[in-house]
Amino acid sequence: MAKKIKENFRRSKLKEQRLIRLKAKLKQSTKQKENDELFKMITVDSIDSLSEKEKFDTLLKLYKLVISFPDTNSDKLKLIMLFMKDNSLKVIARTSKYLRNIFIELLPSYRLNDQMNNGNNPKVKKSKEVEALQNFEKNLCSTYEEFITSLDVLDKSTYKKENCNTFRELIIDIICELFKKFFYFNHEDKLYRILIDKLSDDLESIRKNAFKALYAVLAKVDNSKSMFELKLAMI
C-alpha cells in the first residue's frame, strides 16, 4: 500500500513538472511571437512614434537577443542601428553603448576579409554551419563599419553645439575603446583617422583620450608584420 502511494506521488510530481515546463515553453513561445511581430514593425518612421521609454525597452530586448543568441539574431543589429538615427541624443547614447558592448563581446580577433572572400567563391565547398558562420560574420562586420561611420558623423554634427560636450566625449570614448581592442580588425583605419583628427579638438578631454588610445597601441612591444604595417600607415 505504501509503495503504491509513493508511486502515485511520484507520478503526480512528474505530471506537475511537465505542466510547469509546458507553461514555461508556451509563455516563451508567446513572448517570442510578440517580439517577432514588434521587430517586424520597426522602421525609422515607426521609431519616431514611440515614447522614450518604449524606445529604451525595445532596444533592451534587441540587445539581449543579440548578446544571448548572436548566431540566430545578427539581423537584429540592423534594427538596433536604426536607433542611431533618432532625434534624441539620449536614445543615440544608449544605442551606442549597447552596440559597443555587442561588438566587444562578439567581434573575432582576426580580420574577416579573406574568409568572406572565400565564402563568395562558388568553387569552395562549405557546410551549412560554415555558411551560417560566414553570414553572421558578414552582418557583424558590415554593421560594425556602419557604426563607426555613424559615430564619426554624430561627432562632427554636434561639434561646438550647445550642451553636446558630454555626448561627444562618450562618442570618442567608444571609438578609443574599439581602437585599443580591435586595432588588428577590419576598419581600424577609420578608427585611427578619427582619433588623429581629435588630437586638435577644442575639448581637452577629447584630445587627451584620443592621444592615450593612439599611444596605447603604438607603444605596444610587437614586432609582427601586422603591427609594422599599422604603424607605417598611421605615420
Side-chain angles (χ1 to χ4, degrees):
M1 186 71 178
K3 190 176 180 182
K4 190 175 181 181
I5 292 172
K6 191 175 180 181
E7 179 63 21
N8 287 339
F9 177 77
R10 188 184 71 82
R11 288 181 180 179
S12 175
K13 204 72 179 168
L14 285 172
K15 187 178 179 182
E16 186 183 338
Q17 288 172 353
R18 282 197 297 270
L19 277 170
I20 291 171
R21 285 198 298 269
L22 184 62
K23 284 180 182 179
K25 195 173 181 181
L26 240 131
K27 188 178 178 182
Q28 187 178 7
S29 177
T30 304
K31 190 176 180 182
Q32 181 65 43
K33 188 178 178 182
E34 288 173 356
N35 284 341
D36 288 343
E37 288 172 357
L38 171 66
F39 299 150
K40 282 178 184 177
M41 293 189 297
I42 295 177
T43 63
V44 175
D45 294 333
S46 66
I47 287 173
D48 290 338
S49 64
L50 299 175
S51 67
E52 189 175 87
K53 184 182 181 305
E54 287 172 330
K55 290 174 183 178
F56 288 159
D57 289 345
T58 306
L59 269 170
L60 183 59
K61 286 180 182 178
L62 288 165
Y63 170 69
K64 285 182 175 179
L65 271 175
V66 175
I67 283 290
S68 302
F69 309 101
D71 294 349
T72 54
N73 288 289
S74 62
D75 58 317
K76 304 295 188 299
L77 284 169
K78 297 296 181 184
L79 296 181
I80 297 177
M81 276 301 302
L82 290 177
F83 288 88
M84 292 295 289
K85 299 175 182 177
D86 198 81
N87 295 322
S88 166
L89 291 185
K90 283 185 180 179
V91 173
I92 296 173
R94 180 75 63 90
T95 307
S96 299
K97 290 175 182 177
Y98 281 150
L99 285 167
R100 172 200 59 194
N101 294 347
I102 287 169
F103 290 126
I104 285 175
E105 182 71 23
L106 300 181
L107 283 180
S109 58
Y110 52 85
R111 294 183 71 86
L112 296 180
N113 291 352
D114 294 338
Q115 285 81 1
M116 286 191 291
N117 288 337
N118 288 338
N120 294 328
N121 187 348
K123 293 181 181 179
V124 177
K125 291 183 179 180
K126 51 189 177 181
S127 65
K128 287 183 179 180
E129 290 78 11
V130 170
E131 189 173 1
L133 175 62
Q134 288 176 342
N135 288 334
F136 166 71
E137 290 180 338
K138 190 174 181 180
N139 282 339
L140 198 62
C141 192
S142 64
T143 310
Y144 180 60
E145 181 182 18
E146 188 181 348
F147 179 52
I148 294 170
T149 302
S150 182
L151 291 175
D152 189 26
V153 170
L154 284 164
D155 173 63
K156 288 173 179 174
S157 65
T158 53
Y159 181 64
K160 289 191 176 180
K161 281 192 176 180
E162 195 175 350
N163 301 321
C164 286
N165 286 353
T166 303
F167 176 77
R168 289 190 63 236
E169 285 171 341
L170 170 66
I171 294 299
I172 300 305
D173 279 349
I174 291 173
I175 291 172
C176 288
E177 197 171 350
L178 292 176
F179 180 63
K180 285 188 288 185
K181 187 166 179 65
F182 301 113
F183 55 88
Y184 277 154
F185 189 68
N186 303 53
H187 315 303
E188 80 291 350
D189 57 324
K190 293 180 184 291
L191 293 170
Y192 70 65
R193 282 169 187 162
I194 294 170
L195 293 178
I196 289 171
D197 184 59
K198 294 299 112 185
L199 293 175
S200 57
D201 196 89
D202 289 350
L203 286 179
E204 184 182 1
S205 57
I206 286 180
R207 292 198 304 271
K208 281 184 176 179
N209 285 344
F211 174 80
K212 286 178 182 177
L214 290 166
Y215 180 79
V217 174
L218 288 171
K220 286 184 180 293
V221 181
D222 184 345
N223 296 320
S224 67
K225 183 183 176 183
S226 297
M227 178 57 80
F228 176 74
E229 289 175 348
L230 175 65
K231 291 179 178 180
L232 196 62
M234 289 173 67
I235 294 168

